[in-house]
Amino acid sequence: VSPKITIILPFYNTGDYIKETLSDVINQTYSDFECLCIDNASTDNTYDVCKEVVSGDSRFKMLREYEPGLPNARNKGLDIAKGEYVYFCDSDDRLHPRLLEICMKAMGDADVLQFDYVRFVDGESVEFPSIGENLETSRIENALSWFVANNPGCALWRKFFRRDVIGRHRLKSNL
C-alpha cells in the first residue's frame, strides 16, 4: 500500500541540525507518509546522522544524489515518490507537529496548498502560528504556468502538492 504523502528531504552538510528536522517529521500527528532523505553530495557526517536518527522507521528511505544541486535531489525524489501528495522539506526546517494533518484536511480537490511559516533567528524559539488560518488552495491546470505567475522561488517548503501535478515536471535551478 502506497503512503498518502511523500516528504522529499534533500540535505547537504547539515549534520549539526538535521536531527531537529527529522524529529519533527517523525513526530507528525499524521503518520501515513514516506520520507525520502536524499544526500546531495554532503562532505560532512549528515548522511550518517540522518541514517542513525531514522534507523528502524520504515517510513524513511536513505538515498544519495551525486549531481550537486537542490533541484537534482528534489527531482530524484519526485522520480520515486509513491504518495498521492508531495511535501518538500528542507533540512533546516522545523515543522509544526500537525503540519501534514492540517494540510490533508485543507487540501480538498486543490492541486497545491500554500501556508504561512515562522522564521527562527539566531536560534531563538518562536511560537508556531495557527497555520490553519492562512492556508491558500489552488486548482491549477498547468503547474508550470502557476510557478511562473506566482514565482515561488526557493519556498517549495511552504507548499503541499498533488503529486500528479508537480511530478510531471522537472524542477529548475531556481526552485
Side-chain angles (χ1 to χ4, degrees):
V1 176
S2 293
K4 200 74 168 164
I5 300 169
T6 295
I7 299 169
I8 298 175
L9 198 167
F11 57 85
Y12 174 78
N13 291 352
T14 54
D16 291 339
Y17 44 87
I18 195 168
K19 284 182 182 181
E20 292 175 325
T21 302
L22 291 168
S23 177
D24 288 350
V25 173
I26 289 168
N27 292 312
Q28 286 294 299
T29 57
Y30 188 91
S31 61
D32 187 10
F33 66 84
E34 68 174 344
C35 183
L36 306 177
C37 300
I38 305 170
D39 181 4
N40 195 210
S42 291
T43 59
D44 69 354
N45 67 339
T46 307
Y47 184 87
D48 294 330
V49 169
C50 190
K51 190 173 177 182
E52 179 183 325
V53 171
V54 303
S55 175
D57 192 328
S58 62
R59 299 174 298 178
F60 290 81
K61 292 173 185 60
M62 298 294 299
L63 305 161
R64 293 194 177 197
E65 172 56 51
Y66 296 102
E67 284 290 320
L70 188 56
N72 292 325
R74 287 175 170 165
N75 285 331
K76 181 176 188 141
L78 284 173
D79 289 342
I80 61 175
K82 293 184 175 124
E84 183 179 345
Y85 302 96
V86 172
Y87 174 63
F88 295 99
C89 181
D90 287 350
S91 60
D92 60 350
D93 290 352
R94 298 300 314 269
L95 307 182
H96 188 285
R98 294 183 53 228
L99 175 67
L100 299 179
E101 175 189 346
I102 292 169
C103 286
M104 287 299 294
K105 285 181 182 175
M107 195 67 172
D109 68 348
D111 293 325
V112 64
L113 177 127
Q114 179 172 293
F115 47 87
D116 285 342
Y117 64 98
V118 172
R119 186 178 294 246
F120 286 87
V121 178
D122 296 328
E124 279 189 39
S125 177
V126 179
E127 287 187 34
F128 289 101
S130 174
I131 63 172
E133 293 176 7
N134 294 309
L135 297 170
E136 296 176 25
T137 58
S138 297
R139 193 79 186 137
I140 53 178
E141 299 305 319
N142 183 331
L144 289 178
S145 295
W146 182 85
F147 273 108
V148 170
N150 292 283
N151 188 20
C154 296
L156 288 179
W157 44 262
R158 62 183 293 231
K159 295 166 181 58
F160 190 77
F161 296 93
R162 191 172 299 279
R163 182 173 57 96
D164 63 354
V165 172
I166 189 73
R168 57 183 177 233
H169 302 289
R170 299 290 81 195
L171 300 177
K172 305 282 189 217
S173 62
N174 65 337
L175 299 173

